[in-house]
Amino acid sequence: MVKLLTQSFIFIIGFMVLAAGASNLYKYFNYRFWGEATYGFVDHPSSGRGLGGRPLIQYKDSSGATHEFKSVAKTHWFHRPKTGENIKIYIKKSEPQRAIVDSLFFYLFFPTLCVIVGSYCCIYAIAFHKEQGGLADQNEKNQTDQVHF
């Protein structure tokens, strides 16, 4: 019973990590290959105290309409973005008000790592998980191996 619970727990956690990574990869590739690349500028730098930042970015779509969005991905890791700084973004052609920042770490490296770890957990839970015998199991085995005369 414990083995089944452990396998189920590992599988569920692995599947959640796999799904999150796959979702971000899908989103990035959807914007990257079927969207439109453009440059936006930082309208307001991030208000966080930490290094880097998630700024408010303003951009114009192909029809000339102005849109803005708060970046989910960090655009800078070691310094705050400056007002007016250009940042490469991808926008959806069908919905130009939706956009993402071109961040390889946030949308490519980290999700790929999540897919690998999640896949490993799922495969491990299904195929390679073996219950390890504890000390009590070893003592019982030793007692049954002894020959009584």
Side-chain angles (χ1 to χ4, degrees), residues 79-99:
H79 65 280
R80 293 175 65 132
K82 296 181 175 105
T83 303
E85 183 179 348
N86 283 334
I87 294 177
K88 186 175 182 180
I89 61 173
Y90 294 105
I91 60 175
K92 267 191 165 180
K93 290 181 181 177
S94 59
E95 300 175 71
Q97 69 275 13
R98 298 188 65 176

Side-chain angles (χ1 to χ4, degrees):
M1 182 67 176
V2 174
K3 179 182 175 183
L4 182 61
L5 286 174
T6 304
Q7 282 179 304
S8 300
F9 180 73
I10 291 172
F11 181 82
I12 289 169
I13 295 297
F15 186 77
M16 289 180 356
V17 170
L18 172 68
S23 172
N24 264 352
L25 283 174
Y26 174 78
K27 181 179 181 178
Y28 177 73
F29 286 121
N30 191 19
Y31 277 89
R32 173 121 170 122
F33 295 117
W34 291 284
E36 179 182 332
T38 187
Y39 282 90
F41 66 92
V42 176
D43 187 38
H44 185 272
S46 65
S47 56
R49 293 183 182 190
L51 295 176
R54 296 177 174 96
L56 181 68
I57 299 171
Q58 207 173 69
Y59 64 96
K60 290 187 180 187
D61 62 11
S62 57
S63 66
T66 302
H67 304 281
E68 64 181 23
F69 73 101
K70 178 85 171 171
S71 174
V72 176
K74 275 192 168 187
T75 56
H76 298 73
W77 288 94
F78 301 110
H79 65 280
R80 293 175 65 132
K82 296 181 175 105
T83 303
E85 183 179 348
N86 283 334
I87 294 177
K88 186 175 182 180
I89 61 173
Y90 294 105
I91 60 175
K92 267 191 165 180
K93 290 181 181 177
S94 59
E95 300 175 71
Q97 69 275 13
R98 298 188 65 176
I100 63 169
V101 173
D102 184 23
S103 172
L104 289 179
F105 180 79
F106 189 78
Y107 287 112
L108 196 61
F109 176 75
F110 186 66
T112 302
L113 183 65
C114 288
V115 166
I116 291 169
V117 170
S119 298
Y120 174 77
C121 288
C122 289
I123 292 169
Y124 177 79
I126 292 171
F128 299 115
H129 186 78
K130 295 180 182 174
E131 189 169 348
Q132 300 293 327
L135 186 59
D137 290 340
Q138 290 175 357
N139 287 338
E140 184 180 316
K141 183 177 183 270
N142 288 341
Q143 288 175 358
T144 57
D145 288 345
Q146 292 176 356
V147 178
H148 298 283
F149 291 101

